[in-house]
Amino acid sequence: MTGDNEKYWYNMKTGEVEKGFESPAIDRAGPFDTAEEAAAAPETLKARSRAWADEESKEDNWGSA
């Protein structure tokens, strides 16, 4: 994972985009290839979370009438 230090991260605590490992891992989302992708992290995470929840719901209800 050496290359991840050269990628961009979204700091969930400060709302700032960072390059490399500037803050503790618990505060970071990523890695992202560009600063723009990192800046859009909150929307990306919400969309992925919704998709995951929808998928889980379908799996929980499979075979139901």
Side-chain angles (χ1 to χ4, degrees):
M1 289 208 177
T2 310
D4 286 349
N5 193 39
E6 295 300 315
K7 298 214 177 206
Y8 294 89
W9 301 80
Y10 182 81
N11 185 311
M12 302 292 284
K13 198 174 208 179
T14 66
E16 298 293 320
V17 172
E18 302 172 348
K19 186 170 185 182
F21 303 132
E22 293 181 23
S23 59
I26 195 161
D27 295 334
R28 294 190 316 254
F32 298 94
D33 290 328
T34 66
E36 292 78 18
E37 289 175 350
E43 294 82 16
T44 302
L45 295 173
K46 286 178 191 172
R48 289 179 182 168
S49 180
R50 272 193 300 274
W52 189 5
D54 290 345
E55 185 178 315
E56 289 289 314
S57 177
K58 289 176 187 173
E59 290 176 5
D60 289 346
N61 295 322
W62 79 277
S64 297

